[in-house]
Amino acid sequence: MAVDFCLGLTLLLSMWATAKCDDPNEAINMECHDRFFVIVVDLAFTGNKPHFEAVDKSGVYAITRHHAAQCGYSIGVLPLLGHVELRASYFSCHTENKDDEVFTFNFNLVVANEGKLVSYALTKTCFPSLPWSPREVTCEVNYMEVSVNSEVTCPSETKKEDWNAALKSAYTSATSDWQVMLHGGEDQGMPMNLSEAHERGYLFDLTDSRLVLRASYGQPESFSTEVNGVPVEAVHATLFSRQRWLVLMVDLVAACSMHEGSYNDSGYMTWDTPEVLHPLMTSQHEAQVKIGVNGELVEEPVAEERGYIVEKQNAIIQISIPYNAEGAIRKSLVSGDLFEFYIFDLYLEQMLFGDDQMDTRLRAHRTLATPLLPHSLFSENRTVPEERVFTVYLGDVPEDVELAAVHLNGQKCKAPFTNESSLTITKVINPNNNHGYTLKVSMFDPVIRQKFSKEDAAMQHTLEINYTLTVMPENEPFYHLASVMAFTDVSPPVFDAVCTESGISFKLDHRPFDYLWEITIDSDLLTSELADQHGYIMSNDSNRLLLEVPLLSQGYQYEGFNLKGFIGTFKILIRDPETSEVQSSAIKTCSFTTTELIMCSTDGTMTVVADLALAIPNGGNPARTNLRERYCGPKETDGSRALFSFSINSCGSTVKLGKEYVTYENEIFYSKKLRALNNPADPSNDIDRVTIQCRYPLSGLFRLFSVYKFESDKVGFGRIVHSADSPEGLLSPTMEPTTVFQTPVYTTRRSRRPVSIRRGYQPPAIYIKVSSFLKNLPKKGAKGQLQTKLNPFISL
């Protein structure tokens, strides 16, 4: 896992280098702290190979790894934050130091720009605000440093001024005059001059008021031990010089906790350090501890507010930091599932107080990292079924993770999301730097799986969600699955219907679940083919169904015929497609008026409203008209019209049998006697002859009777032919809607004059059976028809 971690950091660094920032003022930041100076530069400006040089009066020095540890520099590349950081001790090699109060730093930042190396000069002067303690120990990430006040306490018989003067004079004398003894390693106790010590990686320096020792970790002369179970590394050096009758000796000790930190199940990163790291760094009083991150110490109340815990037990100080505390650096990582790790730049100050006035201030920088921790996203179903919209929240998405795509029931929706149609995805920013996404999609969107649940008597809507997310900037994908289901109440489709002058108009606004039912006219499924066949006018799109049913087209039921009009009813049935059971219906009843009308019913009844204005003489009464049989008179009349209703096999009707149709015909007469007196030669030229016909398709007939019974599965086609018109002409009725009835209906017209009613007469008759006879009909005449006058005494 450590290898994966390092590879991940390398990849991050290389990816940050792809974006360039050309303005050094925006890319470079320099700050002075209590005990160090720091330069922070954007990786977008430096590229993936940042390079620093230290500059002093003697020249320019490349800050290599070895030179940095020996001279008091530490360089860290922080790809998770997108910058490189250089920290420099105030006692670093090439720093201009004035009285240990003013420190001036000069560096060159060298970057590659379009294949060429460009150098930027960086200068900063710092004034530490915190007084120097008698002993200052710094535990950096790559070196240890100790500085002591050169104004040390002198022996009781020696004046302090003489002692300090002797020490300074001795140290500034020839190098060979000074010896150093390193306490540790195989050569313990063997003195060496300072040049030899420098070659071994130790740097000694005397500033205006302080002696400084610096060494990198892991030196042969350093020693590692455990103090109460905590690993500690220390460097102990004794400087001595013989000046006349006086031998000067100074002990310099730097000791640091090497604890790497640990992560516990309660979610804390812990780091341990002994209260006393070395016998020469003892405290006569309880040590004071301050902690912080990223080089900034915080006061105890602030530390407690951030969740930091400082505990002392068995002479061990344990620092506990919540894994997600403020100041931590967090990174997501994909290793099958989503993981995360946290990095802390722990900064610690430990104050040790001694009775010898040699108080010790210890400052430590430690980089702590958690192991890979599983990070789980969560999805929450926030759907309100009454809103008919799925609302799903995906939460706890880290700030370095972005949503790239969503699969809804297997159908991919790529980012960026346009929030078109019924799908929307909204990003939600949370206070803890995490974010989330709210997905909304209509339950009736085509992507949603829908199934009618008979058990629940409701529509079941199912949505399987597969979120594709990517960790930035690597674009490493991972997936999160969620599933939601909801039920909605459903009901059969509901039509709106209105009466028109020409018939009835139906409208259905489509609902997504209307497909659960079939729409039929009687038992026939309503399709565009059926509409064309029956003469309906239908349009059907994704929004609505419009159906106009002209009057007298198939499917109407009629009743209430009189000269004022009639009532027509049209019914649309809503059926269960599996059982064909009728679940509901749309029934509309309207009143109609017409000047002339002929209806040929399935039971063999011919109903006629005829305009007889030309068929009777001036001043004649339509009540005196009759059919071919004189006893078949009108049921109602007004000033010019008459209503006849009779069986097609009665009243002298004739039948014509063709290949596909059977036609029944009769005539309306005004008194034959009066007509003959009017014009004996050719009465038909003076008085209009009104012929009425009903034609039925033979394919729809079950039985053909001359009287009493008639059965057909379809209504017939009727004609009223006036002698003044073409023999084939059909007077189409004109209609105006009147009052709407709410019970099953048929159609009629306005009466213009008072009406009289005359009952018809039904004679005895016999029936004619036609089932096999029709197959072998002889062809006669130009049209191949057989015309027969039915005789009530002849049986076929």
Side-chain angles (χ1 to χ4, degrees):
M1 191 61 70
V3 174
D4 293 341
F5 180 78
C6 293
L7 289 176
L9 291 182
T10 303
L11 177 61
L12 282 171
L13 183 57
S14 65
M15 295 191 70
W16 247 285
T18 59
K20 296 297 291 181
C21 173
D22 297 327
D23 188 350
N25 294 324
E26 295 182 359
I28 302 172
N29 182 46
M30 297 183 288
E31 293 181 356
C32 299
H33 291 255
D34 288 337
R35 291 296 179 260
F36 63 91
F37 165 67
V38 64
I39 301 174
V40 178
V41 188
D42 287 348
L43 285 173
F45 180 76
T46 66
N48 60 357
K49 294 182 179 180
H51 178 59
F52 288 94
E53 296 173 340
V55 181
D56 62 14
K57 294 179 180 179
S58 63
V60 177
Y61 303 88
I63 303 180
T64 62
R65 178 179 296 182
H66 173 75
H67 190 73
Q70 192 173 49
C71 282
Y73 306 111
S74 64
I75 299 177
V77 177
L78 304 174
L80 303 182
L81 297 179
H83 64 242
V84 58
E85 181 177 287
L86 180 146
R87 281 196 303 264
S89 167
Y90 282 141
F91 298 119
S92 54
C93 295
H94 309 288
T95 303
E96 183 182 335
N97 181 349
K98 183 178 180 181
D99 300 329
D100 293 332
E101 295 179 354
V102 181
F103 300 88
T104 302
F105 298 89
N106 293 283
F107 293 96
N108 288 333
L109 172 62
V110 182
V111 299
N113 189 354
E114 298 180 354
K116 297 180 181 181
L117 295 180
V118 180
S119 179
Y120 296 90
L122 309 177
T123 299
K124 184 74 172 179
T125 299
C126 295
F127 307 87
S129 59
L130 189 67
W132 295 102
S133 298
R135 181 189 287 121
E136 297 262 350
V137 177
T138 298
C139 298
E140 255 293 357
V141 293
N142 57 332
Y143 65 86
M144 295 182 288
E145 180 183 273
V146 57
S147 71
V148 296
N149 193 342
S150 60
E151 297 180 356
V152 296
T153 303
C154 62
S156 57
E157 67 276 6
T158 307
K159 291 183 179 180
K160 179 178 179 181
E161 293 80 3
D162 296 338
W163 172 265
N164 290 333
L167 178 62
K168 186 170 183 179
S169 174
Y171 192 79
T172 56
S173 64
T175 304
S176 59
D177 293 340
W178 275 94
Q179 299 290 310
V180 59
M181 183 180 293
L182 299 171
H183 304 277
E186 298 178 356
D187 298 331
Q188 180 175 349
M190 297 296 294
M192 66 186 77
N193 60 39
L194 297 185
S195 297
E196 292 174 330
H198 188 273
E199 290 177 359
R200 293 197 178 196
Y202 299 91
L203 187 139
F204 294 89
D205 192 13
L206 179 65
T207 69
D208 184 69
S209 61
R210 303 187 71 81
L211 276 171
V212 180
L213 165 64
R214 187 183 306 110
S216 61
Y217 293 110
Q219 289 293 98
E221 292 77 19
S222 65
F223 63 93
S224 299
T225 185
E226 284 194 358
V227 179
N228 295 330
V230 178
V232 173
E233 183 173 337
V235 170
H236 179 196
T238 301
L239 279 172
F240 60 92
S241 175
R242 187 180 188 88
Q243 296 294 318
R244 299 178 183 175
W245 55 270
L246 182 67
V247 176
L248 300 176
M249 299 183 66
V250 181
D251 274 323
L252 298 173
V253 176
C256 299
S257 169
M258 304 305 290
H259 191 255
E260 295 182 353
S262 61
Y263 181 80
N264 59 37
D265 294 337
S266 58
Y268 283 85
M269 193 74 201
T270 63
W271 186 77
D272 297 340
T273 183
E275 285 190 89
V276 178
L277 291 101
H278 190 274
L280 295 179
M281 297 169 57
T282 60
S283 177
Q284 301 300 321
H285 306 281
E286 183 177 358
Q288 293 182 358
V289 178
K290 288 184 179 181
I291 59 174
V293 293
N294 302 327
E296 295 287 350
L297 296 174
V298 298
E299 298 298 327
E300 186 176 350
V302 178
E304 291 178 354
E305 183 180 342
R306 294 183 180 181
Y308 301 167
I309 301 174
V310 179
E311 296 178 319
K312 298 177 183 179
Q313 188 175 6
N314 298 327
I316 297 298
I317 300 174
Q318 185 174 80
I319 312 297
S320 298
I321 305 175
Y323 74 95
N324 57 355
E326 181 181 345
I329 303 171
R330 186 204 166 279
K331 183 70 183 77
S332 298
L333 193 69
V334 176
S335 181
D337 292 325
L338 180 65
F339 291 86
E340 63 184 357
F341 61 88
Y342 292 81
I343 297 176
F344 304 87
D345 181 12
L346 175 64
Y347 192 39
L348 170 78
E349 179 185 84
Q350 188 176 351
M351 289 295 299
L352 305 173
F353 302 98
D355 290 337
D356 57 357
Q357 298 182 0
M358 282 297 290
D359 297 342
T360 300
R361 184 192 306 274
L362 185 147
R363 293 281 182 98
H365 292 269
R366 283 293 176 261
T367 300
L368 309 177
T370 67
L372 288 183
L373 308 173
H375 185 96
S376 299
L377 309 186
F378 73 90
S379 53
E380 181 177 286
N381 186 3
R382 299 180 177 178
T383 301
V384 179
E386 291 75 16
E387 296 178 354
R388 302 293 196 265
V389 174
F390 275 121
T391 302
V392 183
Y393 178 72
L394 176 66
D396 206 14
V397 181
E399 58 184 341
D400 60 346
V401 172
E402 293 293 333
L403 182 62
V406 176
H407 286 78
L408 303 178
N409 288 334
Q411 181 174 321
K412 187 174 183 179
C413 305
K414 277 189 176 182
F417 305 101
T418 57
N419 290 343
E420 293 179 353
S421 68
S422 60
L423 169 65
T424 61
I425 298 181
T426 306
K427 188 174 182 177
V428 181
I429 304 299
N430 299 321
N432 61 356
N433 293 328
N434 285 350
H435 59 276
Y437 296 93
T438 300
L439 166 68
K440 290 193 173 188
V441 56
S442 169
M443 291 183 185
F444 303 106
D445 189 280
V447 76
I448 303 297
R449 295 194 187 112
Q450 301 181 62
K451 181 177 71 173
F452 183 71
S453 172
K454 290 187 176 180
E455 180 180 352
D456 299 292
M459 179 69 76
Q460 175 182 303
H461 309 263
T462 304
L463 177 60
E464 303 286 344
I465 309 171
N466 186 347
Y467 297 96
T468 300
L469 302 108
T470 57
V471 175
M472 304 302 292
E474 305 95 318
N475 285 323
E476 186 73 20
F478 71 98
Y479 307 94
H480 179 82
L481 304 179
S483 177
V484 290
M485 183 175 66
F487 291 90
T488 57
D489 295 331
V490 295
S491 58
V494 177
F495 281 87
D496 291 328
V498 295
C499 301
T500 66
E501 292 185 359
S502 58
I504 301 176
S505 179
F506 293 89
K507 183 181 76 169
L508 172 65
D509 290 325
H510 286 311
R511 300 172 300 176
F513 49 81
D514 282 348
Y515 71 91
L516 292 172
W517 290 272
E518 288 183 342
I519 300 174
T520 67
I521 308 299
D522 195 10
S523 60
D524 296 326
L525 187 66
L526 178 59
T527 62
S528 56
E529 291 78 12
L530 182 74
D532 293 341
Q533 180 182 347
H534 290 177
Y536 308 151
I537 301 171
M538 186 174 77
S539 65
N540 191 16
D541 56 28
S542 59
N543 296 320
R544 62 183 56 85
L545 166 66
L546 297 176
L547 182 67
E548 296 182 21
V549 186
L551 185 63
L552 307 181
S553 57
Q554 187 167 332
Y556 272 99
Q557 294 177 351
Y558 305 99
E559 63 181 6
F561 285 98
N562 55 47
L563 291 177
K564 294 181 179 179
F566 62 95
I567 297 173
T569 299
F570 196 88
K571 181 188 298 185
I572 298 177
L573 302 179
I574 314 299
R575 298 178 183 268
D576 184 326
E578 295 183 3
T579 64
S580 295
E581 292 182 1
V582 176
Q583 302 293 309
S584 66
S585 60
I587 302 173
K588 189 64 176 177
T589 298
C590 300
S591 293
F592 299 94
T593 60
T594 180
T595 302
E596 286 195 325
L597 170 72
I598 181 168
M599 299 294 300
C600 304
S601 66
T602 57
D603 63 354
T605 300
M606 186 185 301
T607 302
V608 181
V609 174
D611 186 352
L612 304 179
L614 299 178
I616 58 177
N618 291 333
N621 187 355
R624 301 187 63 182
T625 60
N626 55 260
L627 301 177
R628 284 175 178 161
E629 299 292 345
R630 62 181 181 82
Y631 50 78
C632 293
K635 296 184 178 296
E636 292 183 33
T637 62
D638 60 14
S640 61
R641 297 183 306 155
L643 167 66
F644 293 87
S645 182
F646 59 97
S647 172
I648 57 175
N649 295 314
S650 64
C651 298
S653 298
T654 59
V655 60
K656 298 178 182 178
L657 296 175
K659 287 184 177 181
E660 298 179 357
Y661 297 93
V662 57
T663 303
Y664 293 87
E665 184 178 286
N666 212 316
E667 287 183 282
I668 301 175
F669 297 96
Y670 180 70
S671 172
K672 288 184 179 180
K673 182 177 180 181
L674 290 176
R675 183 178 60 182
L677 291 174
N678 250 349
N679 192 346
D682 188 3
S684 63
N685 289 334
D686 299 326
I687 298 178
D688 180 34
R689 296 181 58 191
V690 180
T691 303
I692 52 178
Q693 294 178 350
C694 278
R695 186 177 68 167
Y696 292 90
L698 291 175
S699 60
L701 290 174
F702 297 105
R703 295 190 181 119
L704 179 61
F705 290 86
S706 61
V707 291
Y708 290 133
K709 254 188 179 180
F710 180 92
E711 293 183 30
S712 173
D713 61 355
K714 296 181 180 179
V715 296
F717 302 92
R719 295 196 307 171
I720 301 176
V721 182
H722 294 262
S723 60
D725 299 319
S726 169
E728 299 298 325
L730 173 64
L731 295 179
S732 301
T734 58
M735 293 151 280
E736 298 178 7
T738 56
T739 310
V740 175
F741 294 84
Q742 297 301 323
T743 54
V745 239
Y746 301 102
T747 19
T748 25
R749 292 200 182 168
R750 298 176 183 169
S751 63
R752 300 172 184 170
R753 300 176 186 174
V755 299
S756 61
I757 299 176
R758 178 181 175 188
R759 295 185 177 276
Y761 172 74
Q762 296 290 338
I766 61 175
Y767 87 91
I768 303 171
K769 192 173 182 180
V770 193
S771 57
S772 60
F773 160 76
L774 296 176
K775 295 181 180 179
N776 301 308
L777 282 174
K779 296 182 179 180
K780 290 187 178 181
K783 296 184 179 179
Q785 292 182 333
L786 176 64
Q787 182 170 330
T788 307
K789 176 73 179 281
L790 296 182
N791 189 316
F793 301 102
I794 298 177
S795 175
L796 297 179

